[in-house]
Amino acid sequence: MSTTRRTDEGHGRLGSTLSGVAVALGCVLFLGGFVWGAFVYQPYTVPTGSMTPTIGAGDRVLAERVDGDDVRRGDVVVFRQQAWGDLPMVKRVVGVGGDRIACCTDGRLTVNGKQIEEPYLPKGMGAAATGIPATTVPEGHLFLLGDERSGSLDSTAHLEDAAKGSVPRSAVKARVDAVAWPLDGMLDRATGFDDLPGGGTSEPGPLRLILASVVVGAALVLGGAAYGPIAKRARRGGRERGGVGGSGGAGGSGGPGGAGGTAEAAGVG
């Protein structure tokens, strides 16, 4: 009995140590994930439906803070340009410096003469509401369109500007990776630009790793915190079962069917 108790106590100390380590590691992962996310990402609320169906009016998005020089064709970006109202806006990059943009050929947008597949457009909608005359994007600039082309105030509304509807890369504040609310998740990658020189859409940021860190951290904290009560209840149950078994064995030894019964039988014989 003494050996069993010492074994249980040893297991209890080891379990407590491991649960403490799990809680500590979980706190690091959980809080670290939030801090990492706050440093890398910025939430934005999209006020209009110009990016429907990719992003709806009132949706809340998570946008990775990036330098404008890192933006590529197909990226959905948050930018701020004084000539466009000096407010944060969300649009899709369809052209970079040196690209020749036009629409439409067979109902599709063309970039440097290549027809672009745009599965993110609303079903049944063309690549442009009124067409886009052939326009060359100035170096260091981006040509931006909304996914809902018929009602989007985008580069097509600024073609008469000095920059031919484009905005400087320095106007970009962030690149949208996911719709956080409603929980639509990561944006689909725009693959229609992949065959152009320079490649297509950027790879998403570390949002999946950040979410994994938060989820794993929460699981470790909850699991480690729950270990103590569960282990204590298990040990108490084990002691109670052991006590009942020991009492029964002693009674069987000294009761009527035990030693006394054996002595009576011997006397008769």
Side-chain angles (χ1 to χ4, degrees):
M1 182 176 179
S2 177
T3 301
T4 301
R5 177 173 296 177
R6 285 197 298 271
T7 301
D8 289 343
E9 289 176 352
H11 288 165
R13 285 195 295 271
L14 177 61
S16 297
T17 300
L18 292 177
S19 69
V21 171
V23 170
L25 180 59
C27 287
V28 171
L29 291 174
F30 185 78
L31 297 177
F34 273 108
V35 172
W36 186 13
F39 179 77
V40 175
Y41 284 91
Q42 172 74 38
Y44 290 92
T45 299
V46 180
T48 71
S50 67
M51 284 297 294
T52 304
T54 305
I55 304 170
D59 286 1
R60 196 162 180 81
V61 301
L62 289 176
E64 182 186 6
R65 294 181 175 94
V66 297
D67 189 277
D69 291 336
D70 297 328
V71 171
R72 301 168 69 175
R73 304 181 191 94
D75 290 348
V76 177
V77 299
V78 180
F79 66 99
R80 189 167 187 155
Q81 174 69 349
Q82 186 172 4
W84 292 40
D86 201 24
L87 295 171
M89 303 184 73
V90 179
K91 305 293 178 189
R92 188 182 297 273
V93 178
V94 299
V96 298
D99 284 348
R100 190 163 180 80
I101 309 296
C103 193
C104 296
T105 301
D106 296 332
R108 296 180 182 176
L109 177 77
T110 64
V111 179
N112 300 330
K114 174 181 170 55
Q115 295 182 20
I116 304 299
E117 292 282 352
E118 298 186 279
Y120 42 77
L121 297 180
K123 291 183 179 180
M125 177 172 289
T130 59
I132 303 173
T135 303
T136 300
V137 183
E139 291 295 335
H141 283 64
L142 304 169
F143 199 87
L144 302 146
L145 297 178
D147 287 355
E148 208 293 311
R149 303 284 163 83
S150 64
S152 176
L153 294 176
D154 49 32
S155 288
T156 59
H158 296 271
L159 291 174
E160 300 303 320
D161 295 353
K164 301 179 182 179
S166 63
V167 301
R169 286 182 175 270
S170 59
V172 173
K173 304 302 179 184
R175 181 183 58 229
V176 178
D177 271 358
V179 178
W181 186 261
L183 300 175
D184 291 343
M186 303 292 289
L187 298 189
D188 292 333
R189 189 175 182 276
T191 58
F193 303 89
D194 288 353
D195 293 336
L196 293 171
T201 309
S202 303
E203 293 297 325
L207 183 57
R208 287 191 176 94
L209 287 176
I210 291 172
L211 292 177
S213 174
V214 171
V215 170
V216 171
L220 287 173
V221 170
L222 293 176
Y227 170 81
I230 292 173
K232 186 176 181 180
R233 179 173 297 181
R235 288 195 297 270
R236 183 185 299 122
R239 285 197 297 269
E240 290 175 353
R241 287 192 298 272
V244 170
S247 175
S253 173
T262 303
E264 183 179 353
V268 170

